[in-house]
Every structure is written in C-alpha cells, then in structure tokens.
Amino acid sequence: MATMYRDRAHRALRFARLNMLLVSGLAVIVAVVLVGYVGSAIINQDDARVGAFDPGLRPSRDHLLGTDRQARDVLAVLILSIPNTVKIGLLAGAVGLGIGVVLGLAAGYFGGLVDLVIRTVADVVFTIPGIAIMIIVATNIRTMSVEMMALIVASLAWMYPTRAIRAQTLSLRERLYVEVARLNGESGMELVVKQMLPNLLPYIAAGFVASVSGAILATIGLEALGLGPQGEFTLGMMIYWARFYGAILRGMWWWWSPPIAVIVVIFIGLLLASAGLDRIANPRLQRTK
Amino acid sequence: MTVDYIVKRLGMLLVVIISAISINFIIPRLMPGDPVQQKMDQMVAMGGTVGDVQGMVQEYRKKFGLDKPVWKQFISYWGDLLRGDLGYSLNNYPQRVSSVITGALPWTAGLLITAILITFVLGILMGAVLGWPTAPRGLRGVVPVFLVLHAVPYFLLGIILLFLFAVSVRVFPGGGGYSFGTALQLSLGSIADVLKHAALPALSIVLAGVGGWALGMRGMMISVLGEDYINLAEAKGLKQRRIFLWYGVRNTMLPATTSLAMSLGHVVTGAVLVEMIFAYPGIGHQLYRAIHAKDYTVIQGIIVVLVVWLAVTLFIMDLIYPLIDRRITYRRR
C-alpha cells in the first residue's frame, strides 16, 4: 500500500511536469483569488468609500493606484472587486455546468425524444446572442445584486457543457464496460453515476472552465453597459464608473487599467487551464502540439 | 442540398426567431413593476410638472396598449412586428423605434462587415503560415501574443486603443462616427473622416479576433498537412508556394468558414460593446443610451433586430456551405 501512495505522489509530480499548462493556469487563478480575498481582509475598507480622499489623484506612495473621481482609493476598490467578480464567475459557472451535466447526460443516455428536445433547445439558445436575453432580463430587474447577476449569466452558460457532455455520453454508452455493468443488473441511475460520470470528469472540468470564463465575460459586458449591481464592487462596475466619469478621455489611466489588467490575467489563467484540460480529455493532442 | 434539409433549417430559423421574440415580450411582463408608472415617477422626481400623474399613467397605458389582456397584447405585438412597427420610443415620444434603428444599423453593418472580413483574411493567412512546417522561427514568437489578445475582451481592448491613439497620441478622434458640425456627404473629405472615426473601433474588433482565428487556423493547417493529397502534391514536385496556397490554405478555409458562423454571435456582442466605448453611432451605442434612459421600447426593438439579423445571417451561411464545399451534402446517412 505504501508504495502505491508513493507511486501516486510520483505520478502527480510527473503529471504536473507534463501538464504545465493546467498547473500554471490554476496557479494564476489561485493567485488572483488570493490577492482578492486576503487583500480584502488586510486593506482598510473605508478607503473604498465615496469621498474618502481627494478625487482624481495620480498614483503616489499614499495611493499606489491613485484615486478616482468619486475620491475612492483605486487599489482598495480593485481588491474589493476581485472576490465579487470571482464569485459571480464561479457561481454562474457551477450553476451552468450543473444544468449542462444533467441535460447532457439525459440527452446522451436516454436518446430519442429526450435527446431531440434537449438538443433543439440548446441549439436555439445557442443561436440567440446571449447578451440579448441577458439585457432584457437585467433591464427589468429593479435592484441588481451579485447573486442575481450570477443567476442571470448562468441561465446562458449551460449550452456548451450540455453539448460536450452529450457527445461524450453517446460514445461512453456503447463501451464494453458499461455493457457489462448493464448485464450485471445495474440500474440506469447506477450506470450513469458509477460507470459514466467518472469517465466524464475531464470533460466536466473543461466544461466548468468554459462556463466560468463565458460567465465572467458576459458579466463584465453587462456591467459595462450599466446593468450590473450598482452598489457593489466588481471589476466590470469599475470599468463602468471609469467610463461614466470620462476617465479614458481624461487620461486617468490609473483608474481603468488596473481592472482591465486583472480581467486579462484571469482570462489567461482560464485559457491555460482549459488548454491543459484539453490535453487530458484528448490525449492525442499531446503529440500534435 | 436536399429540400428536406432546407425545410428543416428554415423551421429552425423560425423557432429561433419566434422564441427570441416571445422571450422579449414575456420577460418584461413577468417582472414586478410598471415601466410607465416608473417612468412617470422618474419624471416627477426630476421636478417636472406634477399634474394628474395617475391620469397620465392611464393615458400612456392606453396609448401603449398596456391596459388590454396579455394575450391580446401578444397578438397585437406580433401584428406590429410583422408590419415592421416596433412602436414609439418611450423617451422621445414622437420618435419611432424603427427610425432609431434604421439610423444606426448602417453604421454597425459597415463596421462589422469590414472588421470581420479583415479579421478573417488576416487570421487565415497568419494561421496558415504558422502551421506551415518551414515557417520562420521568429514568427512563432507571435503565438503567445495571439493567446493574450485572444484573452482580452473586445471592448477592453477598445479602451486601451482609445487611450493609446486618441488620448496619449492624438492620431485618431476620441469617438463618434464623424466630426461634429459636418454634414455627411459623398465627398472625399467626408469619407476620409468617416474612415478615421471607424479605424479604432474596427482595429479593436480585428485585434481581439485575429488571435483566436490564427490559432484555430494553425491547428487546421497542421491536420491538413497530414492528408494524402499533400503528399501527392509534394511527390508530383509542385512548388511549395502552390501547395501552400492551393492545397493547404484552400482546404483549411472551409472549416474556417464554419467557425466564422459559430463565432458570429460572439463577434456581434463584442462589436456592440466596442461601439459603446467609442460612442460609435451604431446600434450598440443606441442600446447603451437606451439602457441609460430606461427607454424599454428602444432596448427591446434593438434586441429583436439583433436576434433576427444574426439568425438570418446564420441561416444564409448554412445554405451557402454546400456550394463552397462539395463534400457537405446534408444528406441523411
């Protein structure tokens, strides 16, 4: 047994070396999240209140990223914004993935009419630009909160996982070991949970990353349009306010560039992670790339 | 291409349009609150004439048909839509929503079509060169650059470009579709002015898109190079350039067209936000203004037009595929 554990540790290390993409992607994301959560605990939250300092100060030793036109410390606002944006992304990604896995498994496993209905609905929603529906919903909500934002975005984050899981389930269903389990008298539910789900894990992980990054992208777009949670700190709202107060044309680069930088870092992390997961899900890619 | 396929695809198009428009009708009515009442409250709060507010609300509700039962509203909504009538702007009452949109649509269409074409051509060429085995080494350095560009949302890139080329270095105008105070006409100066205003928005769309394209094309080029006909072409002793263009690029362009169709919704969304950043007078900017003014009828009108436009474009593209790629037959296997 002991050798098995050592073997496992050894394998994990080898995996990390092989899959630098996934590991570095996750490292980037964890780093951003840590900055957000640890930073939020360290900084003085009052620095992010309207009117805390003089408005529009350039970066200096007192204010590393300057202050905005509402006289808030940009660094403080930035740090407080990260957890909320991450929260929206993870929540929306999880909800979207949950829906996607259930629908994908159902479509792939049952086939027939169930498959037809789920596939058609997914295709229809796929064709409608998501932002259109989200704008309609968001404009009709009186007070937007972070959780509400996540739910709205999640309602359109399930198509990709649904398609990917369905395709995989279709092929898994015909595998010999599933057939054997079925002959052994396992029920449909057992087959799905015990035999198929474990083999779907890489695809589920890839689907999660895809829906998180889609959710964050959509959130930031909605927020920039002015449909985000007005009273909360998020990266998208920072950009919205910066634009609202004309920070770009006034040359207040220290206001709008930090949230953009953090967003880009988050997306690069997600991109690396999904490329890494791709290699696990499709081992053949390892040779060509 | 079979009639069967066209009918099925047409059915799909209708389902998409009908469901999108129905959602557009239903969601605002599911939400608590009354847009007219809200609008009136807002006007009162702004310090307008406070007369018989309740009477005005009733009057407006009648005007917009909101006093009828929902199913009647739904029918008349469809009737109006089919006649191309999107109603009146809630904010600038006598103005029709359709006139807001028709004024903005040419700007968006022009910007989008130009930007997509440039992205498509550039992306395909760059990707193909990157996938070619004898590509210069130094060129491979652009791959990470593409990756980063791919990770930046369109409109954020727009903000950066706006700052760099309109604020720091004032090469391009800071927004709008043409210079203030000039009348649009078909003169050389006017065209140059319009192009100058379109340059940065277009560049944002191109730069943000080209990375993903090139990377996708690179992958496709690599897989095409493994095909037998490439070996045959080499065995025949054809010139490298000819193999590259006529055997490589030409065959990778087909799947590239497919992914163009797949990404169209993404591009349109991106362009809407880019227009907002540059105050470019297309529908994205109108949408932003309408959201700010809480002009619900304009918002809904723009959404309907966007959805229908995109759905129809995808439909047409699906019908064109078999013409450019004879391998696609759409026949039931």
Side-chain angles (χ1 to χ4, degrees):
Chain A
M1 275 318 246
T3 48
M4 206 180 109
Y5 282 114
R6 214 171 54 216
D7 203 42
R8 201 172 273 180
H10 187 72
R11 268 198 355 228
L13 258 179
R14 218 184 58 165
F15 171 81
R17 264 224 314 276
L18 265 178
N19 209 322
M20 278 303 289
L21 282 173
L22 178 57
V23 174
S24 52
L26 290 179
V28 167
I29 294 166
V30 169
V32 172
V33 172
L34 274 183
V35 168
Y37 279 94
V38 176
S40 296
I42 293 174
I43 55 149
N44 183 0
Q45 308 233 350
D46 285 343
D47 291 358
R49 267 212 341 254
V50 173
F53 304 101
D54 288 331
L57 295 177
R58 290 182 154 271
S60 65
R61 194 170 303 168
D62 291 337
H63 305 286
L64 288 177
L65 294 175
T67 61
D68 63 18
R69 301 246 311 160
Q70 288 171 302
R72 305 180 296 181
D73 183 80
V74 173
L75 182 63
V77 175
L78 180 74
I79 285 177
L80 288 176
S81 296
I82 293 173
N84 277 336
T85 296
V86 169
K87 195 164 130 193
I88 294 177
L90 290 182
L91 200 59
V95 173
L97 179 77
I99 302 174
V101 168
V102 171
L103 290 183
L105 275 176
Y109 185 77
F110 294 113
L113 189 67
V114 180
D115 183 29
L116 184 73
V117 170
I118 291 176
R119 215 179 52 210
T120 313
V121 172
D123 280 352
V124 166
V125 182
F126 220 71
T127 321
I128 302 171
I131 197 110
I133 306 295
M134 291 189 271
I135 286 173
I136 290 293
V137 177
T139 42
N140 284 289
I141 286 180
R142 206 59 79 70
T143 43
M144 182 67 79
S145 66
V146 165
E147 289 77 16
M148 197 51 148
M149 195 78 204
L151 283 184
I152 293 176
V153 176
S155 65
L156 290 150
W158 54 271
M159 287 90 69
Y160 174 79
T162 302
R163 279 186 167 186
I165 301 289
R166 172 184 168 273
Q168 277 312 302
T169 311
L170 276 180
S171 99
L172 282 181
R173 198 176 55 172
E174 310 299 328
R175 299 284 166 85
L176 202 58
Y177 61 85
V178 176
E179 198 60 37
V180 169
R182 186 179 297 138
L183 291 176
N184 275 341
E186 283 193 14
S187 69
M189 208 51 211
E190 273 178 314
L191 276 179
V192 169
V193 174
K194 282 213 260 174
Q195 309 295 336
M196 293 160 102
L197 214 49
N199 287 293
L200 286 171
L201 277 180
Y203 298 92
I204 292 177
F208 182 60
V209 172
S211 40
V212 169
S213 82
I216 293 183
L217 186 65
T219 307
I220 290 167
L222 282 181
E223 286 168 345
L225 277 170
L227 294 170
Q230 302 268 338
E232 311 259 8
F233 298 110
T234 69
L235 294 173
M237 286 318 286
M238 270 186 94
I239 290 167
Y240 171 73
W241 289 120
R243 209 192 104 76
F244 187 81
Y245 285 105
I248 306 160
L249 293 179
R250 284 168 203 270
M252 295 169 72
W253 51 268
W254 60 89
W255 188 355
W256 52 261
S257 58
I260 293 185
V262 173
I263 291 167
V264 170
V265 169
I266 292 177
F267 278 123
I268 289 177
L270 288 170
L271 200 70
L272 290 174
S274 83
L277 285 170
D278 232 24
R279 291 199 174 182
I280 302 175
N282 312 310
R284 257 184 291 171
L285 277 178
Q286 275 180 16
R287 275 186 293 120
T288 48
K289 273 196 185 156
Chain B
M1 191 171 7
T2 57
V3 179
D4 192 36
Y5 172 75
I6 299 178
V7 170
K8 234 160 83 187
R9 188 63 187 74
L10 195 64
M12 181 79 181
L13 173 73
L14 288 180
V15 171
V16 167
I17 291 178
I18 290 173
S19 43
I21 290 176
S22 302
I23 292 172
N24 207 352
F25 174 86
I26 294 165
I27 289 178
R29 282 168 179 76
L30 283 180
M31 300 291 169
D34 176 345
V36 178
Q37 181 77 50
Q38 225 174 315
K39 201 77 221 171
M40 287 294 157
D41 290 347
Q42 193 189 341
M43 280 169 155
V44 170
M46 298 263 279
T49 47
V50 189
D52 177 16
V53 176
Q54 224 41 48
M56 270 168 84
V57 169
Q58 290 310 325
E59 202 53 42
Y60 263 99
R61 288 177 66 87
K62 212 181 265 171
K63 187 111 204 151
F64 287 100
L66 292 171
D67 54 344
K68 286 183 213 136
V70 175
W71 64 269
K72 261 191 185 159
Q73 288 181 39
F74 192 63
I75 291 172
S76 62
Y77 173 74
W78 271 103
D80 290 345
L81 267 188
L82 291 177
R83 272 180 281 118
D85 179 4
L86 293 166
Y88 294 96
S89 159
L90 215 52
N91 262 52
N92 312 315
Y93 170 62
Q95 198 182 17
R96 288 188 157 274
V97 174
S98 48
S99 78
V100 175
I101 293 173
T102 44
L105 213 51
W107 292 97
T108 303
L111 177 67
L112 256 181
I113 293 170
T114 324
I116 287 178
L117 277 182
I118 297 175
T119 319
F120 190 66
V121 172
L122 265 185
I124 281 183
L125 284 180
M126 285 177 157
V129 169
L130 282 175
W132 195 246
T134 56
R137 249 190 191 214
L139 211 62
R140 309 248 151 126
V142 299
V143 172
V145 179
F146 281 164
L147 267 176
V148 173
L149 281 179
H150 184 52
V152 189
Y154 288 49
F155 71 106
L156 297 186
L157 202 64
I159 294 180
I160 297 171
L161 290 176
L162 181 63
F163 175 72
L164 288 180
F165 298 112
V167 179
S168 291
V169 189
R170 293 174 187 272
V171 199
F172 289 107
Y178 48 92
S179 301
F180 270 120
T182 57
L184 277 182
Q185 52 203 11
L186 220 63
S187 72
L188 229 54
S190 192
I191 291 174
D193 186 49
V194 168
L195 286 181
K196 213 170 171 182
H197 280 81
L200 284 183
L203 190 63
S204 323
I205 300 174
V206 170
L207 272 186
V210 85
W213 273 103
L215 293 177
M217 267 301 284
R218 174 169 160 263
M220 280 183 250
M221 191 71 178
I222 290 172
S223 67
V224 162
L225 287 179
E227 298 278 350
D228 288 339
Y229 53 78
I230 298 278
N231 284 338
L232 179 68
E234 272 176 357
K236 283 201 293 191
L238 294 180
K239 286 213 183 75
Q240 285 288 315
R241 219 160 88 127
R242 194 177 153 80
I243 299 178
F244 175 73
L245 281 178
W246 292 101
Y247 290 74
V249 175
R250 206 167 71 132
N251 282 301
T252 42
M253 269 182 68
L254 299 166
T257 324
T258 317
S259 46
L260 174 69
M262 297 273 292
S263 67
L264 216 52
H266 185 68
V267 179
V268 169
T269 309
V272 163
L273 293 166
V274 165
E275 279 184 2
M276 174 196 89
I277 292 297
F278 289 97
Y280 196 76
I283 47 180
H285 180 56
Q286 292 295 351
L287 184 64
Y288 174 71
R289 284 180 43 179
I291 288 173
H292 259 252
K294 295 205 190 309
D295 196 335
Y296 297 105
T297 45
V298 173
I299 298 175
Q300 290 182 26
I302 289 176
I303 298 291
V304 166
V305 169
L306 263 184
V307 169
V308 173
W309 186 22
L310 198 68
V312 171
T313 311
L314 288 178
F315 173 68
I316 294 172
M317 285 181 85
D318 265 359
L319 293 191
I320 291 177
Y321 284 151
L323 299 181
I324 48 178
D325 188 349
R326 293 301 168 87
R327 287 171 296 188
I328 300 175
T329 52
Y330 291 136
R331 203 165 297 137
R332 212 182 279 243
R333 255 170 284 174

